[in-house]
């Protein structure tokens, strides 16, 4: 009997307590849901088995990465409709969601139990499908130990420099750009690198430590445009090899050194300036004070730190914060986000004087949409360079993140801090920024 989609729509409305926000097409060709807009295509009943065996975000993610779920139409619109339903639902009574497993929540209500039984019948459950090969392997050792951090960074960044080139463009900058109306991605990334250098007040001969240097773009810009002597560090061997090649090609080997090194192992301070752009998300809440103190020690008195970092809103009870399952399993293993206030507080506790905070939330949304457009335009080549699953990971992660920044569920901030000198001089302009420039 071909009735999978109508049954799924009815089940979803029962379980979610709201009308199905998108159209669904099931493996038997049937459809249900709103007549217009994007379509969620459930290509195989195996997708349901994944969600039954792992209720919640990880089950959905596995189905997406494996290709059991696809989208016809605007992915951003589909994610926006679904995210709006999930984020705007009033909280249920009882323990907070993070404290109760998804399956346990569903089975409390008799109507939910009946819906789950019907879902089991549709799924025809067998042993759980194996996770897609793109899922990060189980990690050993303490979280954010040096070895575990190297493995996590390798999972994310050692995907292939050519693949990243297709997504990021010729600048090879993997962090939020700094946009002007009508500008291009390349110009916006150039402007971001220059913004960091200007905030750090770089001068010829200044020693700059670029923590998490990526493919070397910041190091090259600071050396080429400002005459800084730059040490760039990364835990990714592929990134380091690419960055060193760029340094040699530009004839900047006398100014730029690229190392495969943990920030905790840098011992050759003092530096006049430190840039940390899109790296602190990997540090972890338990290690953040160590991170801040380490960078503080590496600066000379009066030295400047520019910390560019994604943030999340604070929670009423921070003990309930959990790392996003999809991001942890497929994108940034062990990555953690902190509220802006927590980051500023830790920098101050380490001895820094915070001099400026600039929020760039909308800029990251624009950047991610530009990356998604590039990936979609080069989809076949991206799949050839990695795998269909890996390309789907990046597409979903970037599209969902763009919406997170647009709706204020994520933020990104540049924090400029100074290591004070005894008499208090910061060595910065009296007017640091000109609004509206």
């Amino acid at each position: 009997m071909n009735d999978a989609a109508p049954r799924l729509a009815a089940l979803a409305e029962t379980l979610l307590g709201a009308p199905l926000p998108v159209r669904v097409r099931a493996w038997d060709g049937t459809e249900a849901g709103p007549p217009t807009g994007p379509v969620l295509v459930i290509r195989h009943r195996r997708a349901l088995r994944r969600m039954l065996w792992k209720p919640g975000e990880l089950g959905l993610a596995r189905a997406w990465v494996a290709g059991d779920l696809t989208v016809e139409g605007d992915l951003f619109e589909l994610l926006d409709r679904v995210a709006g339903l999930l984020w705007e639902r009033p909280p249920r009574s009882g323990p907070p969601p993070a404290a109760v497993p998804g399956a346990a929540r569903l089975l409390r209500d008799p109507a939910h139990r009946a819906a789950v039984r019907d879902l089991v019948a549709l799924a025809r459950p067998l042993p759980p499908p194996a996770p897609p090969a793109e899922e990060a392997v189980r990690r050993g050792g303490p979280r954010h130990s040096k070895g575990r951090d190297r493995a996590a960074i390798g999972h994310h960044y050692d995907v292939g420099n050519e693949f990243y080139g297709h997504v990021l463009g010729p600048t090879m900058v993997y962090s939020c750009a700094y946009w002007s109306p009508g500008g291009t991605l390349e110009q916006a990334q150039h402007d971001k690198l220059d913004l960091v250098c200007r905030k750090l007040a770089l001068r010829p001969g200044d020693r700059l430590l670029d923590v998490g240097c990526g493919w070397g773009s910041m190091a090259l810009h600071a050396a080429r445009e400002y005459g800084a002597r730059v040490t760039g560090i990364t835990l990714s061997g592929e990134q380091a090899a690419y960055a060193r090649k760029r340094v040699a090609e530009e004839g900047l080997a006398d100014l730029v050194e690229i190392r495969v090194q943990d920030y905790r192992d840098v011992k050759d301070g003092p530096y006049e300036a430190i840039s940390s752009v899109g790296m602190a998300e990997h540090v972890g809440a338990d290690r953040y004070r160590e991170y801040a103190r380490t960078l503080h020690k590496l600066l000379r008195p009066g030295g400047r730190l520019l910390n560019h970092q994604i943030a999340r809103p604070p929670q009423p009870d921070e003990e309930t914060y959990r790392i996003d399952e999809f991001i942890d399993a497929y994108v940034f293993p062990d990555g953690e986000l902190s509220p802006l206030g927590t980051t500023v507080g830790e920098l101050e506790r380490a001895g820094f004087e915070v001099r400026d905070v600039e929020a760039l939330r909308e800029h990251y949304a624009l950047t991610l949409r530009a990356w998604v457009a590039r990936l979609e335009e080069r989809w076949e080549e991206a799949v050839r360079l990695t795998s269909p699953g890996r390309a789907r990971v990046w597409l979903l992660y970037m599209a969902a993140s763009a919406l997170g920044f647009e709706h204020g569920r994520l933020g990104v901030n540049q924090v400029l801090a100074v290591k004070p000198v005894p008499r208090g001089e910061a060595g910065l302009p009296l007017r640091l920024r000109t609004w509206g420039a």
Side-chain angles (χ1 to χ4, degrees), residues 228-247:
R229 295 176 294 142
V230 188
T231 299
I233 59 171
T234 176
L235 293 180
S236 167
E238 288 195 21
Q239 284 187 333
Y242 189 95
R244 287 167 182 155
K245 183 173 182 290
R246 294 176 74 188
V247 169

Side-chain angles (χ1 to χ4, degrees), residues 1-8 23-33 39-42:
M1 185 166 58
N2 292 340
D3 61 352
R7 289 171 66 186
L8 285 171
R23 192 160 187 80
V24 171
R25 181 184 307 136
W27 57 90
D28 62 356
T30 58
E31 297 189 15
V39 180
L40 178 65
V41 182
I42 305 174

Side-chain angles (χ1 to χ4, degrees), residues 180-316:
S180 298
T184 65
L185 174 63
E186 289 73 24
Q187 184 62 49
Q189 289 293 17
H190 171 277
D191 290 349
K192 190 275 298 298
L193 297 176
D194 206 62
L195 178 67
V196 172
C197 291
R198 287 187 285 112
K199 286 184 175 182
L200 288 171
L202 290 180
R203 296 179 294 271
D206 279 355
R207 295 191 72 209
L208 169 67
L209 176 64
D210 187 27
V211 181
C213 67
W215 292 273
S217 301
M218 177 68 203
L220 288 166
H221 188 90
R224 183 196 319 114
E225 304 298 329
Y226 290 83
R229 295 176 294 142
V230 188
T231 299
I233 59 171
T234 176
L235 293 180
S236 167
E238 288 195 21
Q239 284 187 333
Y242 189 95
R244 287 167 182 155
K245 183 173 182 290
R246 294 176 74 188
V247 169
E249 288 174 348
E250 292 206 28
L252 292 171
D254 59 330
L255 289 177
V256 179
E257 178 189 8
I258 303 295
R259 304 174 187 166
V260 178
Q261 188 175 36
D262 192 288
Y263 72 93
R264 290 164 283 195
D265 294 329
V266 178
K267 307 296 183 185
D268 61 346
Y271 288 86
E272 277 74 36
I274 297 176
S275 55
S276 179
V277 181
M279 178 272 176
E281 298 88 345
H282 297 289
V283 169
D286 292 341
R287 296 278 189 174
Y288 205 91
R289 190 163 300 180
E290 176 188 15
Y291 161 81
R293 288 174 174 171
T294 298
L295 300 191
H296 186 269
K297 289 178 182 178
L298 287 168
L299 283 171
R300 66 163 177 78
R304 289 86 61 196
L305 166 68
L306 192 288
N307 190 79
H308 176 122
Q309 182 177 343
I310 298 172
R312 61 173 174 83
Q315 298 191 8

Side-chain angles (χ1 to χ4, degrees), residues 324-368:
D324 182 281
E325 285 188 303
F326 167 62
I327 298 295
D328 187 51
Y330 288 98
V331 187
F332 291 106
D334 291 340
E336 296 179 54
L337 301 182
S338 296
L340 171 62
T342 301
T343 297
V344 169
E346 291 294 356
L347 292 173
E348 290 181 328
R349 289 184 187 94
F352 283 104
E353 180 189 6
V354 172
R355 297 302 304 259
D356 184 73
V357 177
E358 184 172 8
L360 301 176
R361 177 170 64 83
E362 294 85 355
H363 292 262
Y364 218 156
L366 292 169
T367 305
L368 285 156

Side-chain angles (χ1 to χ4, degrees), residues 29-84:
T30 58
E31 297 189 15
T36 60
V39 180
L40 178 65
V41 182
I42 305 174
R43 299 178 60 195
H44 197 285
R45 64 175 80 237
R46 181 172 52 241
L48 305 184
R49 293 201 287 270
R50 293 187 186 279
M51 288 182 274
L52 282 168
W53 282 99
K54 194 66 177 177
E57 184 176 319
L58 188 56
L60 282 166
R62 286 174 172 173
W64 170 267
V65 175
D68 298 332
L69 293 177
T70 60
V71 171
E72 286 186 7
D74 189 332
L75 176 61
F76 286 102
E77 183 181 351
L78 183 138
L79 291 173
D80 204 17
R81 291 188 185 189
V82 173

